Amino acid sequence: MADDLSLNVALLRRKVPNLTAAAKQAGLRPATVSNLCTGKIPVGRAEVRTLVALAELAGCGLDDLLIRGGQAKTIETGIKTIDVFAPVVRGGTVGLVAKPGMGQLVVLGELFLRLKETGYTPIFWRPEREVIGLEEVISEAAAVCYGWEDTLQAILQAEQHGTAVLAADRSYVLSGELGRLRAMLSEAGVGDVTVFLVDVSGAATEEAVPYGPLDTLWRFDSYLSGKRYYPAIDPVASTATLLEDTLPESRHFAIQQKAKKLLRRYRELALWLEASGQAAVPDEERAVFSRGKRLEMYLTQPFYIAEPVTGLAGVWVNSSDALEHVSRIVEGKMDEMDPQLLFYIGGLPDTPPAGEKGSHGS
């Protein structure tokens, strides 16, 4: 079952911030460690001494260092909404659907920053159209390309020492250039590049199938961006085939579905309150409404690239922790906690400080 294993990269990242330097000091080859982290080298092919050394660096046992099963098929981002509701499928295609101003390029820039720190090489196939927010993506990209030939070479070079991830604009899907690039990569023996598709024009929001077949869809929401609840990715409308098709009986899927149902009902009640002018929700709906509000606030998150603007330190939340926190909110275990304490935090505190105002943190 060695093929079913992968490294717990999030744990390594948290415990060993400068993994490259630490690995070299421990007598390990940095390139080997990078390839293990990205999955380019299967864990089953790694030397035992390498895995033991990594566990020692992280101060954990091998059982904590190694991940089994379906988790190995995703790329963990440390972003709560993404990892719980619409995770990135490794080697798959992710579509971002948003109107201008909803923060899709901020999310892409943040992803690039996080992916670089976990061993990936983010490549940006720059759109011809200039829009606000491109610089945030460009500054975090390992390579910025202007054509499919340029992009091909950047990916081939990145594949020599790690796994490339590519972000491209929808215009290259429509022109056929992305298809041409995929064909060339296939001929070169590269077939597992994770691709993020954006639409700087905003036209994709009007189409049912904006990019063609996707493994993950992130649909941004004007309701969330209008309230400045970022990232403004709608957890109800966003999807991932990995959860819907291959893990229908998993705990992750069960929690996700309960959370989506809660948020859907919460929004219906919120719209009803606004339209009717009622001051309060009916007694029988109060628990649903308060839990939905808490969950919506919990899913906001400080980003690293936004620190100069927000003054809040960016946070990484492990997907397993985020899933457990969502479950606690949905099940009513955080009902005594002031909802405002959940706004732009990382994870939940171990003990909910009811009514007590706290600071932002992880």
Side-chain angles (χ1 to χ4, degrees):
M1 296 297 290
D3 291 341
D4 204 27
L5 295 176
S6 68
L7 288 184
N8 188 337
V9 178
L11 182 145
L12 276 174
R13 177 188 178 280
R14 187 174 74 251
K15 297 287 189 179
V16 193
N18 193 339
L19 185 57
T20 300
K24 189 174 183 179
Q25 189 173 4
L28 302 176
R29 292 183 59 196
T32 299
V33 173
S34 175
N35 288 338
L36 281 170
C37 288
T38 59
K40 191 173 180 66
I41 295 178
V43 170
R45 288 172 47 195
E47 294 183 7
V48 174
R49 72 172 190 87
T50 299
L51 298 178
V52 170
L54 287 174
E56 290 177 350
L57 286 175
C60 68
L62 283 176
D63 286 344
D64 295 320
L65 182 68
L66 302 179
I67 297 175
R68 297 179 182 274
Q71 298 176 67
K73 300 176 183 177
T74 66
I75 296 177
E76 188 169 16
T77 68
I79 299 174
K80 296 176 285 188
T81 299
I82 291 174
D83 291 340
V84 172
F85 292 92
V88 179
V89 179
R90 182 182 297 161
T93 302
V94 181
L96 286 70
V97 177
K99 291 182 179 179
M102 289 185 177
Q104 67 167 329
L105 293 178
V106 175
V107 168
L108 186 57
E110 180 74 8
L111 281 169
F112 273 12
L113 182 152
R114 290 166 180 254
L115 291 173
K116 280 192 300 185
E117 293 187 359
T118 52
Y120 290 88
T121 304
I123 296 167
F124 186 40
W125 189 351
R126 182 173 180 160
E128 296 180 0
R129 178 173 178 168
E130 291 292 333
V131 295
I132 296 174
L134 277 185
E135 291 304 318
E136 291 179 292
V137 182
I138 292 170
S139 65
E140 298 299 338
V144 180
C145 307
Y146 293 86
W148 72 264
E149 299 96 334
D150 218 11
T151 309
L152 174 64
Q153 294 305 314
I155 293 174
L156 293 178
Q157 182 176 356
E159 285 295 302
Q160 295 177 7
H161 54 81
T163 297
V165 295
L166 170 68
D169 185 61
R170 182 172 182 252
S171 60
Y172 299 126
V173 179
L174 299 177
S175 68
E177 290 180 89
L178 181 61
R180 188 178 300 115
L181 173 64
R182 288 184 187 273
M184 296 299 292
L185 287 172
S186 180
E187 288 183 16
V190 178
D192 60 350
V193 175
T194 304
V195 178
F196 297 90
L197 298 176
V198 295
D199 174 36
V200 298
S201 71
T205 57
E206 308 301 324
E207 299 186 21
V209 187
Y211 300 105
L214 294 171
D215 297 282
T216 300
L217 169 68
W218 298 337
R219 191 173 290 278
F220 287 66
D221 186 17
S222 59
Y223 164 80
L224 293 174
S225 62
K227 294 174 68 174
R228 304 186 71 80
Y229 283 17
Y230 295 112
I233 298 172
D234 184 353
V236 175
S238 299
T239 60
T241 57
L242 180 68
L243 292 179
E244 293 187 342
D245 297 337
T246 62
L247 298 174
E249 305 300 326
S250 72
R251 179 174 179 268
H252 188 152
F253 184 73
I255 293 173
Q256 183 219 60
Q257 291 301 296
K258 288 181 181 178
K260 283 192 174 189
K261 181 179 178 180
L262 174 66
L263 287 170
R264 193 178 295 113
R265 185 58 177 164
Y266 163 72
R267 291 182 182 180
E268 290 172 351
L269 291 168
L271 289 172
W272 174 78
L273 283 176
E274 184 178 345
S276 66
Q278 298 290 324
V281 297
D283 290 345
E284 64 272 18
E285 298 277 17
R286 284 183 180 176
V288 170
F289 188 83
S290 64
R291 289 170 191 171
K293 182 177 182 179
R294 285 181 174 86
L295 181 54
E296 189 174 76
M297 287 189 163
Y298 168 74
L299 292 175
T300 59
Q301 185 167 345
F303 276 3
Y304 297 110
I305 64 172
E307 287 178 353
V309 176
T310 65
L312 301 175
V315 291
W316 176 289
V317 182
N318 292 338
S319 60
S320 58
D321 291 338
L323 189 66
E324 178 60 30
H325 299 164
V326 168
S327 178
R328 286 165 62 185
I329 294 171
V330 170
E331 297 297 332
K333 296 179 181 178
M334 306 305 296
D335 283 359
E336 300 304 314
M337 187 175 185
D338 182 345
Q340 290 299 322
L341 293 176
L342 298 170
F343 198 45
Y344 281 104
I345 66 168
L348 291 178
D350 292 332
T351 303
E356 179 183 342
K357 299 295 180 183
S359 59
H360 298 284
S362 59

